Amino acid sequence: MTLYLLAFFAFLVLGIPIAFSLGLASLVYLVANDQLMLLMAFPQKMIAGIDNFVLLTIPFFILAGNLMNAANLTQQIVRFAQILVGRVKGGLAAVNVIASMMFSGVSGAATAEASALGSVMIPAMRRDGYSPAYAAALTATGSLLGPLVPPSLSLILYGVLTGTSIADLFLAGIVPAFLLCGLLVTYALWKARREDHPLPPMMPKSERAGAVVRALPALLLPVIIVGGIRSGVFTPTEAAAVAAIYALLVGTVIYRSLKPRQIVNSFYETATMSAGVMLVVAMASMTSFILGIENIPQSIAGALVGLTDSPLLLLILLNIILLILGFFLEPLAALILAMPILNQLGPVIGLDPVQFGVMIVFNLMIGMITPPVGLCLFIVSAIGRVPLDQVSRAALPLIGICIVVLALVGLVPALSLTLPALFGH
């Protein structure tokens, strides 16, 4: 297995995309161990990895997010967030975080959120005198709210891999998301007073009612998704299709800003993004196959349990390992690779599968704002034209806040289990 890991990281260092690095490392493993006959099983494993009806939710939710973004939804959400925040010192930074929270109910993906809001908020904060590195770091961290709020693509994948209720996972991520949002806003306002950040301009009263009305269709999307699934009106896959149709109607009928060319571009972007996600899932399934051959999940789980019989210490060790894994791997690939091991450790630690899923997904998402493979950092660095090292330093206290929330999710079951219990059947 050591050879597989060395080959995998070598391919990553050479700049080969992660999906192909996973596949090539698997090939190296088979050649080195004289097991080329197993190559015949690879196409079957790849197809089996993505042959799941629930995975259709991913392209549909991606399409809904792309259509809403093409309809200029970002501006509507930012204006609504300005009304909520009002005119306080550092208010634009708070608007950034709250807009991220609201945009999360549309995109479901951290990278989409970082690029959409980053293009609006980073230049605005820069014009108002904020440090470009801080503006970029805050936008990147706020984008982590996306994978916690429905329709979270990462929670969907966890549900598919473990058979956990996706509706419960959607509900379970809401309270941790609000907690993270609240702590980030508190930090932004504290930093504003400490560094004397500017007051944002006040929105005229005559424009406020219109801003609220125009933002409501977008804010209703997560309510429709979770409410429809929970009430039994439609399945998660059908909910994703409803979300895409709803986004199309909102953009063309209500906002009237979605033109035929933008619709075509949204479908094209959805196809390319979905293909990328499915390729990672398929290639990671090959790696999971090799892990099974080597009996690695059971060995690692046994080694960790052998270190201590304390569920708390096991929980801490597991989170440290996942954080390190997230530094180097894209979250969806890391989730697929880690699940065989996590399935062995979950019952030992004693966490509810829903709570366990929210903790794992959020843990791996923190890697999106940490070098060397922090995709959200790269996105905001490019948008803000700020060196990556400066953004990384500005993100350190924000990463600390994320780790505090992560610890609370793991240690306080009520944070993630209260809403599923309230809305349970």
Side-chain angles (χ1 to χ4, degrees):
M1 199 60 199
T2 303
L3 177 62
Y4 172 86
L5 293 174
L6 289 174
F8 172 66
F9 285 111
F11 289 131
L12 282 182
V13 169
L14 291 173
I16 296 174
I18 188 168
F20 296 111
S21 295
L22 288 167
L24 289 171
S26 301
L27 179 61
V28 168
Y29 168 85
L30 292 182
V31 172
N33 288 276
D34 196 24
Q35 296 187 21
L36 286 176
M37 288 184 64
L38 291 177
L39 273 176
M40 296 176 64
F42 270 22
Q44 297 172 350
K45 294 298 177 183
M46 290 174 64
I47 293 171
I50 58 176
D51 185 19
N52 191 309
F53 184 67
V54 181
L55 284 178
L56 277 174
T57 56
I58 292 178
F60 278 125
F61 278 134
I62 291 175
L63 176 60
N66 285 338
L67 288 170
M68 285 289 210
N69 196 32
N72 202 21
L73 168 72
T74 310
Q75 293 286 356
Q76 311 302 333
I77 286 178
V78 169
R79 287 173 64 80
F80 182 69
Q82 287 175 319
I83 297 173
L84 294 180
V85 172
R87 197 164 186 263
V88 297
K89 189 176 286 294
L92 195 58
V95 166
N96 190 334
V97 177
I98 293 172
S100 291
M101 181 71 188
M102 291 187 288
F103 192 81
S104 298
V106 176
S107 68
T111 50
E113 193 167 322
S115 57
L117 281 173
S119 60
V120 175
M121 295 306 305
I122 295 175
M125 291 179 70
R126 196 168 190 164
R127 283 194 301 270
D128 274 17
Y130 288 84
S131 159
Y134 170 63
L138 187 65
T139 304
T141 309
S143 70
L144 299 191
L145 293 164
L148 289 175
V149 177
S152 165
L153 303 184
S154 300
L155 288 177
I156 290 171
L157 184 57
Y158 174 86
V160 169
L161 293 173
T162 62
T164 307
S165 166
I166 292 175
D168 285 346
L169 289 168
F170 280 175
L171 288 168
I174 292 174
V175 173
F178 272 100
L179 176 61
L180 177 59
C181 179
L183 290 177
L184 290 176
V185 169
T186 302
Y187 173 80
L189 297 180
W190 170 80
K191 187 176 176 69
R193 292 189 175 277
R194 184 183 175 198
E195 299 183 3
D196 195 27
H197 289 165
L199 286 166
M202 179 66 76
M203 183 182 294
K205 289 184 179 180
S206 58
E207 298 180 13
R208 293 179 194 174
V212 171
V213 170
R214 290 186 67 80
L216 280 178
L219 301 178
L220 283 174
L221 183 57
V223 177
I224 293 171
I225 293 167
V226 177
I229 296 173
R230 259 297 168 206
S231 63
V233 174
F234 35 68
T235 66
T237 307
E238 292 165 346
V242 169
I245 295 170
Y246 177 80
L248 183 62
L249 292 175
V250 166
T252 54
V253 178
I254 298 177
Y255 291 149
R256 297 184 181 178
S257 56
L258 203 55
K259 308 302 180 187
R261 184 176 183 83
Q262 293 172 308
I263 295 173
V264 172
N265 288 339
S266 295
F267 274 90
Y268 174 79
E269 290 172 10
T270 298
T272 54
M273 292 170 65
S274 300
V277 171
M278 294 303 178
L279 183 60
V280 170
V281 172
M283 291 295 189
S285 298
M286 291 165 50
T287 301
S288 296
F289 175 57
I290 288 178
L291 291 176
I293 293 173
E294 289 282 334
N295 208 29
I296 295 298
Q298 292 80 0
S299 301
I300 293 177
L304 288 175
V305 172
L307 291 175
T308 176
D309 57 359
S310 167
L312 178 60
L313 288 178
L314 275 175
L315 184 64
I316 294 170
L317 279 172
L318 177 61
N319 274 293
I320 291 172
I321 292 170
L322 289 174
L323 283 170
I324 294 172
L325 187 65
F327 290 166
F328 301 101
L329 289 179
E330 189 270 342
L332 295 182
L335 184 60
I336 296 171
L337 293 178
M339 277 319 302
I341 300 168
L342 297 173
N343 284 334
Q344 299 288 324
L345 288 173
V348 178
I349 295 173
L351 292 186
D352 183 275
V354 173
Q355 178 191 3
F356 199 44
V358 174
M359 183 193 75
I360 291 167
V361 165
F362 185 51
N363 186 310
L364 294 174
M365 292 309 303
I366 293 175
M368 300 287 279
I369 58 171
T370 58
V373 193
L375 291 179
C376 290
L377 282 187
F378 285 106
I379 290 170
V380 297
S381 174
I383 291 173
R385 298 180 182 178
V386 188
L388 187 63
D389 60 323
Q390 293 182 22
V391 181
S392 300
R393 283 196 295 271
L396 286 176
L398 302 171
I399 293 172
I401 291 173
C402 292
I403 291 174
V404 168
V405 174
L406 174 65
L408 290 173
V409 170
L411 296 173
V412 184
L415 281 178
S416 50
L417 298 181
T418 299
L419 282 183
L422 285 175
F423 289 90
H425 295 296

